[in-house]
Every structure is written in C-alpha cells, then in structure tokens.
Amino acid sequence: MDHAELPGPATEQILTAAEGRMGISLHPDLRAWLLQNNLDLPEEDVDDDVPWCGFDGFPDEGSFFLGIRSMENLYANFRVSGGVNPPDQPDNPFWRNEWIPFLSDRDGWTGKFIDVRDGRIGRWFVGEITTTGEYASLADYFDSVAQTLTRIGEGSYPVCSVVDGRLAWR
C-alpha cells in the first residue's frame, strides 16, 4: 500500500454522528488523528463478513489502524450496560465503556484502545488481563511506532525489512 492510496480525513460531521451513536465523546487526541487520517476502507472494499477492517500490515503484520466506522462497530461489540465488563471487577475489567479501540486484529480479539477520560493507551487481548496505561498518550504510542519504523529502515529490526519500498514481515 502506498500512502497516496490511504483515504483522507474524517469530517467533524462524521465524528459527531459517530459519537452520538456510541454515546461517548472521542478523546481530543483521537479526534485530531481522525481529522487527519480516517482509515475507513472505501465502501466497495468493505467485506460485510469482517466488521472491523483497515489497511492490513501496519503497524505490524497482524493488526491495523481502524477508521471511525470500524472503531464504532468494534466499540458497539464491547460496550456493556453498566459500563464495566465484568461488572464485579471495576478495578480490573476486561472492558470499560470509556475505552475506544483504534487498532485491532481482523477478529477483534486483540488491539489497542484510548481511554477517553485521560488519553492513556491500553491493550486488550480476549482471555487475558487488559493492560491500561501502556502508553501515556496517543502521541507516545505513535512515537514508539516511528522508532520501530526507524529500526526497520536501518535494518536492525529482526522480523521486518523494507523490500521495494514496502514493509515485508518474516
């Protein structure tokens, strides 16, 4: 995939409508990202059997950044009445309604989310303990991605290289 093939930004109207359907406001960092890069696939490329989809292979081989439509769909899949799942573990939940996914695998089993309360980035994996505060902010997470890409470009990242200007995972 070439950067020129990526879709353009989301509009305020798209984001406001998605917030209304989800019943939660986006964190300002996530809003700023989506206003620059809404990675929803074009309608003709959407597979109805895959509810959360994006541009495969970035930031790594098994996951991809979500566009607002996929964020909304995956959020709806995890959202629970009462706000915490499971409800008897409010201090150590699998999912909280304040978390909005922005990166996922194709099945929604694992990914990263932003906590709308404070902007911290966490990670979920179905069947494992959810990690909160993995990164202090979306900017910190993107800095880590940039560092990984730098190591790949230098040839010092063991599982990925650049071949003909594209990432190649081993």
Side-chain angles (χ1 to χ4, degrees), residues 21-136:
R21 288 186 296 269
M22 290 189 293
I24 192 167
S25 295
L26 299 173
H27 187 274
D29 290 351
L30 185 58
R31 177 176 283 280
W33 162 252
L34 291 168
L35 287 171
Q36 293 295 314
N37 306 285
N38 179 24
L39 298 177
D40 279 333
L41 292 174
E43 287 294 328
E44 63 271 10
D45 294 337
V46 173
D47 181 348
D48 291 334
D49 295 327
V50 182
W52 17 94
C53 54
F55 289 88
D56 235 349
F58 185 76
D60 59 47
E61 183 180 28
S63 62
F64 47 86
F65 289 112
L66 303 172
I68 189 63
R69 184 175 51 238
S70 290
M71 286 178 194
E72 187 179 345
N73 288 342
L74 189 53
Y75 179 81
N77 189 58
F78 286 136
R79 190 178 193 294
V80 293
S81 63
V84 179
N85 179 20
D88 60 338
Q89 295 181 22
D91 295 329
N92 192 24
F94 167 72
W95 194 261
R96 296 184 67 89
N97 289 351
E98 293 91 355
W99 299 341
I100 298 178
F102 68 90
L103 183 139
S104 177
D105 67 342
R106 187 161 305 280
D107 298 320
W109 286 87
T110 185
K112 295 195 183 301
F113 60 83
I114 186 167
D115 190 322
V116 300
R117 298 170 298 176
D118 58 15
R120 292 181 308 144
I121 305 302
R123 179 183 61 83
W124 86 88
F125 191 99
V126 173
E128 291 186 9
I129 295 173
T130 299
T131 304
T132 58
E134 187 177 30
Y135 297 93

